[in-house]
Amino acid sequence: MGLQPWHWAVIGMLLMTGELFIPSFAMLWFGVAALVTALLLWVVPMDLLSQVVIWLGLSIVACILWFRLIQPRIKTRTKAGLGGSVIIGEIGMIVSPVVANGLGVVRFSVPKVGAAEWACRTLDGRPIEVGTRVIVTAVMGNELIVMPK
């Protein structure tokens, strides 16, 4: 006779808890596979070899799904950490007026490079009123150069 379902549940929880200390999402999937193995064992009694084969198979499938399908899509959805050039061409709205030859604030509906609001100015020093939609044309340090859309 093999392990009991509660053994697999404890192993799964320990593996998933281990993910807190090794943040790579690898141990998480081994833990999920152990929990699924516990559920299967609870429904269908099986010997130890079958349990281990099912756990290994589920672990491999879960890791392949994570590293090949899910994780790459998550990484490409964010632009955080890529530098300011990814903001060029984005459209936002002025929430603090751009005064002549001074700074204003532009807000984006979705945060860009980690922030929803950015200091901005116009290239030619023209003022822009609150509520005006603008397009980002350049990035200078931590300020965006914008022009009315």
Side-chain angles (χ1 to χ4, degrees):
M1 181 148 170
L3 299 175
Q4 297 297 315
W6 69 269
H7 291 121
W8 282 106
V10 169
I11 291 169
M13 296 306 280
L14 288 173
L15 286 167
M16 291 171 68
T17 303
E19 186 64 41
L20 294 171
F21 304 104
I22 303 173
S24 65
F25 282 109
M27 290 180 70
L28 175 69
W29 304 117
F30 289 102
V32 169
L35 290 177
V36 172
T37 302
L39 289 173
L40 289 173
L41 184 57
W42 183 57
V43 175
V44 180
M46 58 187 91
D47 63 340
L48 182 61
L49 179 63
S50 299
Q51 294 172 25
V52 172
V53 168
I54 287 173
W55 174 69
L56 285 174
L58 289 170
S59 296
I60 291 169
V61 168
C63 285
I64 288 172
L65 286 174
W66 171 253
F67 288 109
R68 294 261 171 111
L69 299 177
I70 300 169
Q71 187 182 29
R73 290 184 181 158
I74 291 172
K75 284 184 177 178
T76 58
R77 293 180 76 173
T78 180
K79 294 180 180 177
L82 292 178
S85 62
V86 297
I87 276 185
I88 295 174
E90 295 289 341
I91 298 171
M93 183 175 293
I94 298 296
V95 293
S96 177
V98 178
V99 296
N101 294 319
L103 289 175
V105 176
V106 61
R107 177 182 293 155
F108 299 99
S109 58
V110 176
K112 306 297 178 192
V113 193
E117 292 185 355
W118 286 80
C120 66
R121 67 175 65 234
T122 58
L123 194 57
D124 58 4
R126 290 185 306 176
I128 303 177
E129 296 179 15
V130 172
T132 305
R133 292 174 54 86
V134 294
I135 187 165
V136 178
T137 58
V139 178
M140 290 179 60
N142 288 334
E143 299 173 3
L144 303 179
I145 306 299
V146 297
M147 62 182 280
K149 185 168 181 329

